[in-house]
C-alpha cells in the first residue's frame, strides 16, 4: 500500500497525512452520529414498549376487577373473594424496587430436563398404566 509513496517529499507526505486524518475524523464523526441516532431510536422504542406494558397491566387489572365483581354477583362476597384469590392470574412480579420499572431480561442456555422416569419408558416413548 505504501509503495507509491516512496517518491513523495516530506511536505507531500505531511499533506497526505493531514488529508487522511481529516477523512478519518469525518468517518468517525459520521459513525458516532449514526450510533447516537440508533441509541436514541432504541431508547424511544423501549419507552413506548414500557408504556404499552403499563397500559396492558392496567387492562389486565381492570379485567380482574370486573371478574371479581361478576363472581361476587354470582357466588356472593365471601366465595368470590376466595375464588378471586385462587384464580388471580400470575402476571405481577417484584423486581425488588418498583413494580412498574422496566425489567432487563437475559437469555441463558436451556437446562436439560430432569428425568426421573425409568430408562424403559424412555425407549418406548410412551408408557401406559
Amino acid at each position: 500500500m505504501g509503495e507509491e509513496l516512496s517518491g513523495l517529499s516530506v511536505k507531500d507526505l505531511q499533506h497526505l497525512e493531514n488529508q487522511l486524518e481529516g477523512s478519518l475524523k469525518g468517518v468517525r464523526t459520521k459513525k458516532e452520529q449514526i450510533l447516537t441516532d440508533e441509541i436514541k431510536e432504541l431508547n424511544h422504542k423501549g419507552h413506548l414498549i414500557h408504556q404499552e406494558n403499563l397500559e396492558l397491566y392496567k387492562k389486565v387489572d381492570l379485567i380482574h376487577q370486573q371478574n371479581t365483581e361478576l363472581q361476587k354477583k354470582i357466588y356472593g362476597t365471601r366465595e368470590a373473594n376466595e375464588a378471586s384469590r385462587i384464580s388471580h392470574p400470575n402476571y405481577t412480579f417484584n423486581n425488588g424496587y418498583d413494580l412498574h420499572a422496566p425489567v432487563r431480561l437475559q437469555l441463558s442456555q436451556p437446562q436439560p430436563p430432569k428425568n426421573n422416569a425409568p430408562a424403559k419408558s424412555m425407549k418406548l416413548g410412551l408408557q401406559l398404566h
Side-chain angles (χ1 to χ4, degrees):
M1 178 168 181
E3 300 85 23
E4 60 272 358
L5 300 177
S6 60
L8 296 177
S9 68
V10 172
K11 186 176 180 181
D12 290 336
L13 289 172
Q14 285 176 338
H15 179 69
L16 182 59
E17 182 181 20
N18 290 338
Q19 285 181 326
L20 289 172
E21 286 176 355
S23 296
L24 185 58
K25 183 179 178 182
V27 168
R28 287 181 177 155
T29 301
K30 182 66 175 174
K31 177 184 169 186
E32 184 178 322
Q33 183 62 48
I34 289 171
L35 291 175
T36 301
D37 291 346
E38 286 180 13
I39 289 170
K40 285 179 183 177
E41 183 180 341
L42 290 172
N43 282 333
H44 179 69
K45 285 180 181 180
H47 177 72
L48 291 177
I49 289 170
H50 178 68
Q51 291 301 114
E52 183 180 5
N53 193 27
L54 290 176
E55 291 300 317
L56 290 172
Y57 177 82
K58 289 176 186 177
K59 286 180 182 180
V60 169
D61 193 47
L62 177 62
I63 290 170
H64 179 260
Q65 289 174 4
Q66 291 171 343
N67 189 28
T68 301
E69 291 299 318
L70 288 174
Q71 287 177 353
K72 284 179 183 178
K73 288 180 182 177
I74 295 170
Y75 300 113
T77 303
R78 196 184 99 214
E79 294 84 0
N81 286 340
E82 180 64 21
S84 173
R85 185 184 63 78
I86 293 170
S87 68
H88 191 282
N90 189 16
Y91 61 87
T92 61
F93 57 88
N94 187 351
N95 62 8
Y97 300 102
D98 180 5
L99 288 176
H100 300 294
V103 176
R104 306 215 186 278
L105 301 177
Q106 182 178 2
L107 295 176
S108 62
Q109 293 294 325
Q111 300 298 316
K114 294 180 181 178
N115 190 358
N116 295 333
K120 192 175 200 179
S121 66
M122 289 296 291
K123 291 178 184 175
L124 297 174
L126 177 63
Q127 187 174 22
L128 300 174
H129 294 291

